[in-house]
Structure formats: structure tokens, C-alpha cells
Amino acid sequence: MENETIVALSTPPGESGIAVVRISGSSAASILAAMAPGARLAPSRTLTLVTLNDASGEPIDEALVAVMRAPESYTGEDVVEISCHGSMQVVADLVEEIARLGARLATPGEFTKRAFLNGKLDLAQAEAVVDLISAETKLQRKIALEQLGGAISRKVRALEEALLEELALIEASIDFSEEDLPARSPRDTREAARKARAAIAALLESEIAGERLRRGLRVTILGGRNVGKSSLYNALLGEERAIVSPVAGTTRDLLRERIHVGGFTCRLEDTAGIAETRCEIEAKGIEIARAAALEADLVLFVVDGSAEIAAEIRDEISRIAPEKLLCVLNKSDLGLRCSIDEAREKLGARDAIAVSALRHEGLDDVRAWIFEKAVKGAAGDLDRERIAVNARQAAALREADEALARLTGAIDEGAQAEILSVETRCALDALGTITGRSMSDALLETIFAKFCIGK
């Protein structure tokens, strides 16, 4: 039940200098008072040093506590935050005593769910909390913080307000059709729908960048034997992770490490060299490499730029979608056999960059290419607008757009105002699921189940 008092450890489990235990609900302050008499009288939102005791009066720990009284708290309820010593036993005893006094263990995301239900934040802002917690880069942190502050919500609300105004005019023409009032012009309704669809399209442009910002990109390094794949892998990582050797076939398994490129998390993969072989183990490695390239978001196909480009390389490259392929002409320190443009022509590739993995030359160009592909050319918008819609929000936007498309079609067919009203309401309902204005209980449970316990 939503009015029950809940408790959870809000910091990661395990030994630490400090652990934070959070309590929320109508009994939060009285539970604290039972463990530390007098603490309940402390001013709201101030830290107080207290000794927390169990039922027998034995001290559990000395801790700093803060009481945040409703509605001025994260959840909108009375909240107590206890900063205790980060001993696993201290935390276990503390949570056990709080539960004995009437609280129950919180479910994943329950604190933020209560904040949403109590109007402290909307659903888009609640989802931004997860993004902020999981942020690994400055860009991820900046965008999550902007969306927590309502960047997406403001744009969606502006759309809703415009459509609500249009709906009011449409329904007025229905309700007062016999009055001497001017009817809403279909041309004006059509224009309102066009503007709304344009705004939705602008939001949807950030979908791919938003998805990749949250889940990261899979970037696979592919190429023949001894072209410098492992050297490029190590150079991009900034450490000697893969074994580099002049012996052909040194890399046989898939190596994977995380790197950050322009604020995006990339799972960089080194693979076995592509070649004809009778070795069963090496052949299996080549099979894994080709499969990885097909499934990857981006492929860095490494070629020895100092040697003649063989015809079979072009055949291998043709297996890969051109829009996700970058040909890396390695060993530029030895001198390129042909120009970049000539190499692109011979390889049948859209993009090619010359590098020297040995001297770490040209790596910034590779990183820039990865970043541009990650944001699909919307780098400026992503950095300026701080908008990166997630998959759920994008689905709702598309549903709203489909309703507006039906609205436009109905206008063109000369449909009655009642039909226009229905389609406008459908668009509004779809937009409402982004902020939570219209939302099913089942979907709420699905969203908040993704949260960690204690948040």
C-alpha cells in the first residue's frame, strides 16, 4: 500500500565509510524518535548527531540524521535519512530495527514512484533519475540532469497545451453548433496539426542518439592478419590490453573493453584476423569476428595502408552495411600506398581515415567519426537542447504523430468535427503517457522496476 512506511539502504551494499538508510512514510519520524528520543523535535532539513538504539536500549550506531517533513521532501512524504557507519552489520541491524518498528522493505524504485504519485516530479523526470544514477560520462550526466530538470517535459507540455486549445475550439463548434458562433476552420485545425507533428519530429530526431547514449555502442574492429587491429585496439584503449605480435593469427578470441568517446560509452571489440585457414580454432575465431561485425553498431575495418589493397578485402567489406563502416588505413607512418580517395574507391567504402596506431596518429579522427555516427549528425542539437528521448517516450511520440496524421486525413476527407475531436484526444492521450498524465498501473510498475532499491 502506498501509505505504508518504507525503508531501504540507499547507498551500494558492502563495506564503506558511510552508508545512507532512507525511511519514507507517515511513521518515519516516529520510528526515528523511538530509536533516538528527541530526534523527532529537530528542525526539518538539518543534520543532527544521535545515538540510535535497539528495543533493549543497546546502541546500534552513532549517526547523523535528517528529517524532511512533508511535503518538502523527495517523496512528498515525511522522510528520514540516516548517515551511519558503512558496516554491513550496522546497516543490517539498523534496517532490522526500523522494520520491527513498523516499516517494510522498499521495492525497487519505490521512493521515486512515491515522488511521482505525490506530484514531486513527472514520469519523464523520474526516468531521468535512472539515467543520472547510471551516467558514466559528462555528456550522459549533463543530459540526464537537464531532463530531470524538465527539458523533455516542458516541450511535451507545450505540445499538449497547443492541442488542448485546438480541442477546445473543435468541441465548442460541436456543443454550440446551433448558436450564432463562427465554426472552427478545418484549415486552422490542419495547420495546428502540422505544427504539432513538426515538433514531434524534432523530438524524435534524438531517439537514436538517446538510445545509444543510454545503452552504449558496440564497435567492432575487423580486418586481415597483421594489419594492426590489436595495435589500434590498444591505442584507443590507452593501454596494452591485446597481445601484439608479428606472428599471424595471434588474436583468436573476441576481446572486449569499454571506452568513452565524446560522452558515449563504447564496447570496443578486437577480433581474429580474416584469412583463409585450415586451423579449426582460427577458423572459429574468424567466424566469431564476422558475426560480431554484422551485429555491431559500428565497424572499424583495418587495412594495411602501406601495402597494395587486395581484391578480397573489398569482398569482405561488402558484407558490412556502408553506413556503419569506417575503413582505417593503418601504418601511415610507413607511407600510404595510395591516397584516401583512391583507397575509398578500391575498397568500395564511404569513409576512410589514415592512422598510425603505433604512433597514435589519426586516433582523434577515428573518435570524431564514431561520435558523429553515434548522434546521427545531431551532435549540435544533442549538446544544445539536452534532449535525448528514450524508447518508451519515442513510441508515445510516434503514437501521437499517427493520431495527428489521421486527424489531417480526416480533415482532407471533410469529416465531421466529432471525428476530429476523437483523433485530437488520441494524440493528447499518447503525449500524456510521456509525463504520466495518462498512464496505466501496469506500465508504472514496469518503469519503476528498472530502478535500484533505495531510490
Side-chain angles (χ1 to χ4, degrees):
M1 296 177 63
E2 299 300 342
N3 59 353
E4 290 178 319
T5 298
I6 56 175
V7 60
L9 173 67
S10 289
T11 45
E15 185 177 310
S16 61
I18 294 174
V20 176
V21 174
R22 179 184 283 176
I23 315 169
S24 181
S26 58
S27 302
S30 59
I31 288 173
L32 174 63
M35 301 175 68
R40 186 176 186 175
L41 302 176
S44 181
R45 308 171 80 84
T46 60
L47 287 173
T48 305
L49 182 64
V50 300
T51 298
L52 299 166
N53 303 305
D54 63 16
S56 66
E58 180 181 346
I60 298 174
D61 193 21
E62 188 177 60
L64 285 170
V65 300
V67 180
M68 287 152 280
R69 293 181 173 82
E72 300 301 320
S73 70
Y74 180 72
T75 64
E77 306 170 331
D78 282 351
V79 171
V80 171
E81 288 192 353
I82 301 171
S83 299
C84 60
H85 292 93
S87 156
M88 295 174 67
Q89 190 60 55
V90 167
V91 171
D93 291 344
L94 188 56
V95 172
E96 182 181 351
E97 182 62 20
I98 293 169
R100 189 192 67 79
L101 290 168
R104 67 164 172 81
L105 295 179
T107 57
E110 190 166 5
F111 289 93
T112 304
K113 181 180 179 182
R114 291 187 177 202
F116 165 70
L117 293 173
N118 290 325
K120 303 299 291 185
L121 40 74
D122 64 31
L123 201 55
Q125 291 172 303
E127 289 176 302
V129 172
V130 176
D131 293 339
L132 188 57
I133 290 172
S134 59
E136 296 182 5
T137 69
K138 286 185 178 180
L139 181 62
Q140 291 168 344
R141 186 258 302 166
K142 287 178 180 178
I143 291 178
L145 198 58
E146 289 286 340
Q147 296 186 171
L148 180 58
I152 288 178
S153 304
R154 285 189 293 272
K155 290 182 178 291
V156 171
R157 280 197 293 269
L159 266 169
E160 288 182 307
E161 288 169 6
L163 290 177
L164 278 170
E165 182 178 346
E166 191 61 34
L167 179 63
L169 293 169
I170 293 170
E171 296 198 338
S173 67
I174 299 171
D175 295 339
F176 303 102
S177 58
E178 297 181 359
E179 302 290 335
D180 189 19
L181 293 174
R184 180 61 172 167
S185 166
R187 182 183 300 174
D188 293 338
T189 300
R190 199 180 197 288
E191 177 62 16
R194 185 196 65 77
K195 288 181 179 179
R197 295 190 71 190
I200 288 172
L203 286 171
L204 284 171
E205 284 180 0
S206 71
E207 179 187 3
I208 293 176
E211 178 195 4
R212 290 178 170 178
L213 192 71
R214 292 177 179 91
R215 71 167 173 82
L217 294 94
R218 183 177 178 179
V219 182
T220 299
I221 299 176
L222 196 67
R225 292 172 173 170
N226 284 2
V227 294
K229 299 186 305 301
S230 295
S231 296
L232 178 64
Y233 181 73
N234 290 338
L236 289 171
L237 288 179
E239 61 177 285
E240 297 298 313
R241 176 64 179 82
I243 297 174
V244 176
S245 166
V247 178
T250 299
T251 302
R252 295 192 175 188
D253 205 352
L254 195 69
L255 300 179
R256 183 182 292 123
E257 290 287 348
R258 294 160 73 88
I259 63 171
H260 295 138
V261 177
F264 286 79
T265 299
C266 297
R267 299 182 300 279
L268 187 66
E269 297 176 337
D270 188 19
T271 63
I274 305 297
E276 293 294 329
T277 181
R278 294 182 180 180
C279 173
E280 184 178 348
I281 297 175
E282 188 178 10
K284 182 62 177 177
I286 293 169
E287 181 184 339
I288 291 172
R290 285 173 170 155
L294 290 176
E295 296 172 3
D297 295 299
L298 301 173
V299 176
L300 307 181
F301 196 100
V302 184
V303 177
D304 184 349
S306 67
E308 189 65 37
I309 296 174
E312 56 266 24
I313 297 177
R314 185 185 180 105
D315 294 338
E316 195 67 43
I317 285 175
S318 67
R319 300 169 181 256
I320 304 164
E323 64 273 9
K324 72 175 189 179
L325 171 70
L326 173 66
C327 285
V328 179
L329 307 178
N330 193 26
K331 304 185 183 182
S332 63
D333 51 296
L334 301 178
L336 294 179
R337 180 62 65 92
C338 59
S339 69
I340 297 291
D341 289 341
E342 290 172 336
R344 275 199 295 262
E345 180 68 25
K346 289 183 178 181
L347 294 168
R350 295 180 186 175
D351 300 318
I353 292 174
V355 308
S356 170
L358 179 66
R359 296 182 179 178
H360 289 208
E361 295 171 353
L363 299 184
D364 285 344
D365 293 335
V366 174
R367 295 187 186 99
W369 181 88
I370 292 172
F371 178 72
E372 286 298 326
K373 288 293 182 179
V375 299
K376 287 289 185 180
D381 291 339
L382 185 67
D383 187 60
R384 183 178 63 255
E385 297 288 342
R386 307 287 193 217
I387 297 296
V389 300
N390 62 30
R392 186 193 70 83
Q393 294 161 356
L397 287 167
R398 278 192 287 272
E399 186 179 343
D401 185 65
E402 289 167 4
L404 291 170
R406 293 194 301 270
L407 171 62
T408 301
I411 292 171
D412 293 342
E413 293 170 4
Q416 297 295 314
E418 286 83 357
I419 301 298
L420 309 188
S421 173
V422 168
E423 298 298 359
T424 306
R425 284 185 180 277
C426 285
L428 281 165
D429 288 343
L431 292 172
T433 64
I434 296 175
T435 58
R437 181 181 53 79
S438 55
M439 177 65 59
S440 69
D441 290 341
L443 189 50
L444 279 182
E445 292 300 325
T446 300
I447 290 171
F448 286 104
K450 299 175 184 177
F451 282 59
C452 57
I453 294 175
K455 192 57 182 174

